[in-house]
């Protein structure tokens, strides 16, 4: 179990981003019971998809990103689609995280100092710190992530305790009237789905865990389970707290009239604890940094795979070049055209479905046609589950199309 802790924290840290603050705004329209059912359903879907990723990596005998797995098992089209989609998504996420982290640090520092601070200066410092850490190899990044993730959990638990002190569990909004509104589900389902997008790190974990099936399975299971528990406890705590202490504000939240900043203000006023605001900012920045580590490691390894025929005699140069290639474009986007990633991320739900469900199922099929060896996780070949989760993927794409219409 001890060998599972670090990898599990990487999975959890990659999954849990600053978007956790927006979950109550999205899921409050459903009510407590539908919220919990949806979260567990999406978690099971994503855990099953992670087993497909791990199965394919173990069959390949090495950690490979999805596109390279397609090529490994004879599907050149999967290689092209998988590589393009993975790079599009990871570069977009890193741009969003760098810009989001800069914004949070700026607001926090200005609140403390009382003076306006230039965003570019903060981005430069933030970017240099992240870049310097990522220059080290996976072990150091994993240990740093472990420390920050523990800090994130301590801050999270402290905040939850403060919220729970104001909760009356006898007065819980079990089901909201908006649960019958199609738009409530078409927004909630993709948001919940993308909240478990930790698979970008699976190929990195495969090599880091010495291709040990048990450790890999446990890391993805417990890491994603931590994310599930955090999402549910946090969302329920916020919803119930506001519902009990400020009915008017709760109606604003349910009706979609509240942004993240306003939500933090409502929580601070509802609890009467001034520390809530600072802890929300702290949780946000820690969640962003741990997500950067996970997504960054996955992208760096993908770039190294693309460069496998270069720098053969200079692994250090290859690593440094890969880190620069991974972080220079998102840093440029965050600094020069910060709004560009928003338009790209609008399609993230569909990109994630392709990367996490549809394409892995296709590559698994190609692998089964050629595989005469050991099956590491037999459940991935269950016909019922493959059909079920494929249909869930189509449902999510349908939700995104409905939202764009």
């Amino acid at each position: 179990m001890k060998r599972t802790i670090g990898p599990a924290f990487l999975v959890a840290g990659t999954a849990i981003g600053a978007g956790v603050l927006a979950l109550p705004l999205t899921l409050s329209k459903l009510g407590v019971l539908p919220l919990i059912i949806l979260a567990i359903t999406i978690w099971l879907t994503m855990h099953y998809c992670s087993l497909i990723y791990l199965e394919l990596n173990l069959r390949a005998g090495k950690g490979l990103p999805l596109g390279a797995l397609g090529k490994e098992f004879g599907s050149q089209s999967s290689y092209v689609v998988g590589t393009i989609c993975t790079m599009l998504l990871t570069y977009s996420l890193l741009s969003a995280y760098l810009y989001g982290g800069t914004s949070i640090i700026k607001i926090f520092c200005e609140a403390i100092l009382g003076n306006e601070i230039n965003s570019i200066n903060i981005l430069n410092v933030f970017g240099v710190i992240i870049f310097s850490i990522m220059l080290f190899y996976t072990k150091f990044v994993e240990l740093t992530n472990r420390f920050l993730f523990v800090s994130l959990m301590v801050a999270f638990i402290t905040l939850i305790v403060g919220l729970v002190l104001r909760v009356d569990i006898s007065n819980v909004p079990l089901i909201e009237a908006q649960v019958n509104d199609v738009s409530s589900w078409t927004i909630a389902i993709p948001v919940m789905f993308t909240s478990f997008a930790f698979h970008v790190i699976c190929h990195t974990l495969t090599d880091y865990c010495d291709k040990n099936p048990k450790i890999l399975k446990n890391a993805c299971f417990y890491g994603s389970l931590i994310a599930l528990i955090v999402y549910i406890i946090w969302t329920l705590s916020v919803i119930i707290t506001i519902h009990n202490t400020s009915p008017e504000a709760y109606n604003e939240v349910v009706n979609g009239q509240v942004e993240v900043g306003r939500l933090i203000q409502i929580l601070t006023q509802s609890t009467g604890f001034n520390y809530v605001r600072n802890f929300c900012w702290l949780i946000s920045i820690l969640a962003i940094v741990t997500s950067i580590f996970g997504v960054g490691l996955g992208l760096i390894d993908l770039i190294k795979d693309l460069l496998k025929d270069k720098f053969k005699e200079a692994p250090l140069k290859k690593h440094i070049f890969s880190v620069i290639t991974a972080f220079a474009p998102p840093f440029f986007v965050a600094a020069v055209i910060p709004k560009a990633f928003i338009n790209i991320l609008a399609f993230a739900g569909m990109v994630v479905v392709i990367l996490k469900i549809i394409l892995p199922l296709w590559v698994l099929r190609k692998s089964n046609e050629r595989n005469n060896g050991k099956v590491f996780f037999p459940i991935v070949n269950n016909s019922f589950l493959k059909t079920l989760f494929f249909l869930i993927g189509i449902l999510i794409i349908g939700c995104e199309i409905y939202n764009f219409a």
Side-chain angles (χ1 to χ4, degrees):
M1 184 64 188
K2 184 177 180 181
R3 295 176 60 190
T4 305
I5 294 176
F9 283 178
L10 273 175
V11 170
T14 303
I16 301 173
V20 69
L21 291 174
L23 284 177
L25 301 178
T26 305
L27 303 178
S28 60
K29 296 182 179 181
L30 304 179
V32 169
L33 292 181
L35 180 161
I36 294 175
I37 294 172
L38 174 62
I40 293 175
T41 301
I42 297 298
W43 168 65
L44 290 173
T45 302
M46 296 303 267
H47 177 60
Y48 175 79
C49 294
S50 72
L51 292 181
I52 296 179
Y53 264 73
L54 296 177
E55 175 75 25
L56 293 171
N57 275 276
L58 291 170
R59 289 185 186 182
K62 54 185 174 181
L64 293 174
L66 183 59
L69 286 171
K71 187 176 182 179
E72 178 77 13
F73 296 113
S75 178
Q76 186 64 29
S77 59
S78 297
Y79 172 69
V80 175
V81 174
T83 301
I84 292 176
C85 287
T86 299
M87 296 191 75
L88 173 65
L89 182 62
T90 50
Y91 273 127
S92 300
L93 289 175
L94 287 176
S95 299
Y97 293 150
L98 287 172
Y99 180 74
T102 299
S103 299
I104 292 171
I105 294 172
K106 173 181 170 65
I107 294 173
F108 183 74
C109 291
E110 288 178 348
I112 294 177
L113 301 176
N115 297 318
E116 186 175 350
I117 304 176
N118 188 286
S119 297
I120 296 299
N121 293 336
I122 295 177
L123 176 62
N124 289 335
V125 175
F126 184 47
V128 168
I129 293 174
I130 294 296
F131 180 79
S132 300
I133 295 174
M134 298 305 296
L135 281 175
F136 290 89
Y137 286 99
T138 303
K139 182 63 178 178
F140 178 81
V141 178
E142 185 270 305
L143 290 174
T144 304
N145 178 84
R146 190 182 305 191
F147 170 76
L148 293 180
F149 188 77
V150 170
S151 302
L152 171 62
M153 289 296 98
V154 171
F156 173 78
I157 292 171
T158 303
L159 179 58
I160 290 299
V161 170
L163 296 179
V164 170
L165 291 176
R166 302 299 298 259
V167 169
D168 177 10
I169 60 175
S170 64
N171 184 21
V172 176
L174 294 179
I175 298 178
E176 289 293 343
Q178 287 88 338
V179 74
N180 296 320
D181 188 349
V182 174
S183 62
S184 297
W185 289 97
T186 59
I187 294 174
I189 292 175
V191 168
M192 197 76 254
F193 182 77
T194 54
S195 297
F196 285 100
F198 61 87
H199 304 71
V200 68
I201 200 174
C202 284
H203 59 280
T204 299
L205 289 179
T206 300
D207 290 332
Y208 185 67
C209 296
D210 298 321
K211 294 176 281 293
N212 186 309
K214 183 177 180 180
I215 293 177
L216 287 167
K217 180 180 179 180
N218 288 340
C220 286
F221 177 80
Y222 290 113
S224 60
L225 180 62
I226 291 173
L228 172 68
I229 293 172
V230 168
Y231 290 151
I232 291 178
I233 292 178
W234 164 252
T235 305
L236 293 184
S237 298
V238 171
I239 290 175
I240 297 173
T241 298
I242 299 176
H243 180 267
N244 288 346
T245 59
S246 182
E248 292 184 2
Y250 178 75
N251 289 330
E252 292 181 24
V253 172
V254 171
N255 292 321
Q257 300 171 348
V258 174
E259 299 294 336
V260 172
R262 170 63 177 154
L263 175 66
I264 296 173
Q265 182 183 24
I266 292 172
L267 284 174
T268 303
Q269 295 171 346
S270 297
T271 59
F273 301 136
N274 292 326
Y275 80 89
V276 168
R277 181 185 61 181
N278 293 338
F279 267 80
C280 284
W281 296 137
L282 177 62
I283 289 172
S284 297
I285 192 61
L286 289 175
I288 282 178
V289 173
T290 55
S291 293
I292 288 176
F293 287 161
V295 174
L297 283 174
L299 180 57
I300 289 169
D301 283 344
L302 185 154
I303 294 171
K304 286 181 179 178
D305 181 72
L306 295 175
L307 300 174
K308 59 186 176 183
D309 294 329
K310 298 183 179 181
F311 302 105
K312 289 184 177 179
E313 305 300 325
L316 180 58
K317 289 183 179 180
K318 182 178 182 179
H319 178 71
I320 294 175
F321 182 81
S322 298
V323 176
I324 294 173
T325 305
F327 281 90
F331 179 85
F332 175 81
V333 171
V336 180
I337 44 176
K339 293 184 179 180
F341 71 86
I342 297 176
N343 295 327
I344 297 175
L345 287 178
F347 299 93
M350 285 186 282
V351 174
V352 171
V353 171
I354 295 173
L355 285 174
K356 311 312 176 190
I357 298 182
I358 296 177
L359 199 55
L361 286 171
W362 172 253
V363 176
L364 179 66
R365 178 183 176 184
K366 303 295 291 185
S367 174
N368 286 337
E369 293 174 356
R370 300 178 53 184
N371 182 48
N372 296 317
K374 181 179 179 181
V375 176
F376 297 90
F377 307 114
I379 193 173
V380 301
N381 283 323
N382 184 288
S383 298
F384 172 76
L385 291 179
K386 286 193 290 186
T387 302
L388 174 63
F389 292 127
F390 176 79
L391 293 176
I392 291 176
I394 297 300
L395 171 64
I396 296 170
I397 291 178
C399 290
E400 293 284 26
I401 294 174
Y402 181 89
N403 292 334
F404 293 143

